[in-house]
Amino acid sequence: MGHGGGADMGAVMLQGTGSDVGKSVLVAGICRLLTNRGMTVRPFKPQNMSNNAAVTPEGGEIGRAQALQALACRVAPHVDMNPVLLKPQSDKSAQVIVHGKVHDTGDASYFRDQKKSLLDAVLASYHRLSAEADIVVLEGAGSPAEINLRAGDIANMGFARAANVPVLLIGDIDRGGVIASIVGTKAVIDNEDAVMIRGFLINKFRGDVSLFDDGYTAIEQRTGWKGLGVIPWLPMIHKLPAEDAVVLQRSEEASDATIEIAVPMLSRIANFDDFDPLRLEPQVQLHMVPPGEPIPASASLIIIPGTKATIADMQFLRAQGWDIDIAAHVRRGGHVLGICGGYQMLGQTIADPDGIEGAAETVDGLALLPVNTVLTPSKTLTNIAGKSIAEDRQFSGYEIHVGDTHVQTGDLGSTVMLRLDDGREDGRVSSDGRISGCYIHGLFDAAEQRQAWLARLGVSSNGDEQGVIVDNALDELAAALEKVVDMDRLLAIAEEAG
């Protein structure tokens, strides 16, 4: 394949037998593996549903998984890598982002009606990426076996057939039933879809791989698809940001942790990879608190995370009784940090006069900071760097929010939290320094910023830059995949695209 010209353009799409089988991480690993071989590689996901969004340099938003895959390709993220992003706002509707910008809010019928225009947008992005790459590595969404969703599909086989991209099917052996899930996919999809699948991969295998030899052969015989390898359980993956909130339900215990940081899992929690650097700190136990559980009294710091729907999650937080837990924590002298929607919740009021999130209304916040927020139609999308004012420590991150937050008149003693490199100020800190809030995601990625926070809580930091951790983990992942995946066969399959 030539470099960058796209003359021998190749493409391969990884689809899964279900959600959370490891598609996004495997795409990232294959992207880094091929990039390390000297190829020009681009990631692509036609349609993503996630409240974890990244800001691209041109000021658009895409799924954070595609931003990680871009990093794996050692290129800047671009809106073409994820042309349709759905951000769930309620159980029935989602904000629709097309080419990085808010396009509409829709329900299931909206997507059926808009299929043609959305598919056109997706194909335009794919062809632009194909023109600049030796190979495009694509990621499906959910599963092609969801045949009830096939008619309006642009995320899996609907796209693969429209663009003529061959597919590899990923099965997750860790969750059990992997033979049935792959063979069953072949049984339920139609023949035209089935011929797009050129092979399969088994993911997350623990133990002696030879024990699965007969199962592997049985899948090949029953489907007619060729296996391209069995991928073991890979420990470096826990250093990579997770896209799916499913992983938050698996709390990791840090054996020698000396402090606990608690994050209540809001119903529309967003951009929760903000907390990955804390999870990797040896002296910190990061406790993601699920609905129905109280916030533990043992926590030194409570972080209220970002959310796709601040007012709805303010009400959700109260319904869990977490507002009472937070008030008790503050009375005991504990620290609280709100990020983005969590910052809005720390204020006195949150107003939605234009009904952006639902009904036009104003609700009370937690009244821990002297600020008021008004939700506005325009969305702030920007990558930003700056310094925390109190410690003069660097950070870099991004803003992705609706709403303006202003200090209440008559404020007695709160101070600005961050000074941004573009001259703006962001966030507030209470007069006693224990309650903080700001709009910046990625605050803890910078080692010196994280050190300052942990020092305030009485512990030291590992001093690692999150960007370095993630980049090294991608190289480790690529090296591990090189050993177990039949890459020659994968590249031969990719050359069938077009």
Side-chain angles (χ1 to χ4, degrees):
M1 291 187 183
H3 288 288
D8 296 315
M9 188 279 293
V12 64
M13 187 174 199
L14 273 57
Q15 295 185 17
T17 56
S19 293
D20 198 36
V21 300
K23 296 186 296 291
S24 60
V25 166
L26 291 182
V27 169
I30 291 168
C31 282
R32 177 56 63 94
L33 189 166
L34 296 173
T35 300
N36 284 350
R37 286 188 178 188
M39 298 172 75
T40 302
V41 190
R42 295 292 181 269
F44 183 73
K45 181 160 184 165
Q47 174 185 297
N48 198 350
M49 179 175 278
S50 176
N51 275 331
N52 280 356
V55 179
T56 65
E58 68 272 24
E61 58 181 311
I62 61 172
R64 291 198 69 70
Q66 281 61 66
L68 175 70
Q69 292 158 1
L71 178 69
C73 297
R74 297 196 172 92
V75 294
H78 191 277
V79 295
D80 279 339
M81 295 171 182
N82 175 207
V84 177
L85 173 63
L86 312 179
K87 302 182 84 171
Q89 292 193 158
S90 70
D91 291 342
K92 294 183 178 172
S93 72
Q95 188 180 67
V96 185
I97 313 286
V98 178
H99 290 145
K101 298 297 181 192
V102 177
H103 183 70
D104 212 335
T105 300
D107 57 12
S109 62
Y110 170 89
F111 297 107
R112 281 195 299 272
D113 297 342
Q114 295 295 313
K115 182 199 172 194
K116 175 77 170 71
S117 68
L118 292 175
L119 182 60
D120 288 347
V122 159
L123 287 169
S125 286
Y126 170 68
H127 291 308
R128 282 192 291 268
L129 287 178
S130 300
E132 65 186 45
D134 297 325
I135 185 168
V136 181
V137 186
L138 299 88
E139 179 188 341
S143 165
E146 293 161 346
I147 52 175
N148 53 309
L149 303 176
R150 177 63 179 88
D153 174 58
I154 62 167
N156 290 306
M157 287 303 176
F159 175 82
R161 282 171 60 181
N164 193 25
V165 174
V167 174
L168 296 178
L169 190 64
I170 313 299
D172 176 358
I173 199 165
D174 187 55
R175 63 171 56 180
V178 75
I179 297 173
S181 68
I182 297 177
V183 175
T185 299
K186 174 75 184 285
V188 298
I189 62 178
D190 69 36
N191 288 336
E192 288 84 357
D193 285 355
V195 298
M196 299 305 297
I197 299 178
R198 305 289 205 275
F200 64 89
L201 283 162
I202 304 295
N203 198 20
K204 306 182 195 175
F205 190 93
R206 301 176 192 253
D208 179 357
V209 173
S210 67
L211 295 175
F212 191 63
D213 285 352
D214 291 346
Y216 194 79
T217 303
I219 295 172
E220 290 188 326
Q221 288 172 344
R222 287 166 187 261
T223 61
W225 299 330
K226 181 79 177 150
L228 274 76
V230 178
I231 300 163
W233 189 272
L234 299 170
M236 78 291 293
I237 285 174
H238 86 282
K239 297 177 184 174
L240 295 172
E243 183 188 45
D244 204 321
V246 172
V247 300
L248 298 182
Q249 290 150 23
R250 305 169 201 151
S251 210
E252 290 176 40
E253 296 288 323
S255 54
D256 52 353
T258 51
I259 63 160
E260 184 175 1
I261 295 175
V263 181
M265 289 169 55
L266 303 170
S267 66
R268 295 283 173 262
I269 188 170
N271 298 66
F272 47 77
D273 59 336
D274 280 347
F275 315 116
D276 286 357
L278 297 172
R279 186 166 51 84
L280 298 175
E281 285 283 359
Q283 290 192 279
V284 172
Q285 184 196 344
L286 182 68
H287 187 154
M288 304 299 296
V289 183
E293 260 186 38
I295 298 174
S298 51
S300 303
L301 170 65
I302 296 172
I303 305 177
I304 306 175
T307 166
K308 182 65 194 71
T310 304
I311 288 178
D313 265 347
M314 185 74 245
Q315 293 160 341
F316 181 83
L317 182 147
R318 285 200 166 96
Q320 306 304 314
W322 287 337
D323 56 330
I324 297 164
D325 297 340
I326 292 166
H329 169 84
V330 172
R331 279 199 304 276
R332 289 191 298 267
H335 291 254
V336 181
L337 168 66
I339 294 175
C340 199
Y343 171 37
Q344 295 174 342
M345 291 182 191
L346 287 177
Q348 308 293 316
T349 59
I350 307 155
D352 187 4
D354 297 322
I356 292 157
E357 289 189 357
E361 60 182 326
T362 298
V363 301
D364 290 335
L366 295 168
L368 292 172
L369 286 175
V371 297
N372 294 291
T373 297
V374 178
L375 302 182
T376 53
S378 61
K379 184 180 275 194
T380 300
L381 289 164
T382 183
N383 292 301
I384 200 75
K387 285 187 173 184
S388 54
I389 290 174
E391 302 91 359
D392 195 36
R393 299 289 184 98
Q394 289 280 351
F395 72 86
S396 61
Y398 61 99
E399 289 180 75
I400 183 165
H401 64 90
V402 295
D404 293 321
T405 299
H406 297 287
V407 181
Q408 196 161 321
T409 51
D411 168 30
L412 300 173
S414 79
T415 53
V416 175
M417 181 177 166
L418 305 172
R419 183 161 288 119
L420 310 182
D421 284 353
D422 63 8
R424 291 180 296 135
E425 295 175 334
D426 183 60
R428 293 309 280 186
V429 181
S430 62
S431 54
D432 63 7
R434 291 190 292 114
I435 317 294
S436 308
C438 67
Y439 274 118
I440 306 300
H441 292 285
L443 194 64
F444 298 115
D445 286 8
E448 65 175 64
Q449 183 65 220
R450 198 165 69 251
Q451 278 171 331
W453 277 92
L454 295 183
R456 199 179 305 167
L457 302 173
V459 296
S460 56
S461 166
N462 59 19
D464 294 336
E465 295 290 343
Q466 182 67 5
V468 175
I469 292 173
V470 169
D471 201 61
N472 289 342
L474 286 168
D475 278 335
E476 289 177 45
L477 174 59
L481 293 179
E482 185 87 66
K483 293 175 184 168
V484 294
V485 176
D486 185 344
M487 291 304 298
D488 290 342
R489 188 173 190 88
L490 184 146
L491 289 170
I493 287 168
E495 286 185 347
E496 298 172 20

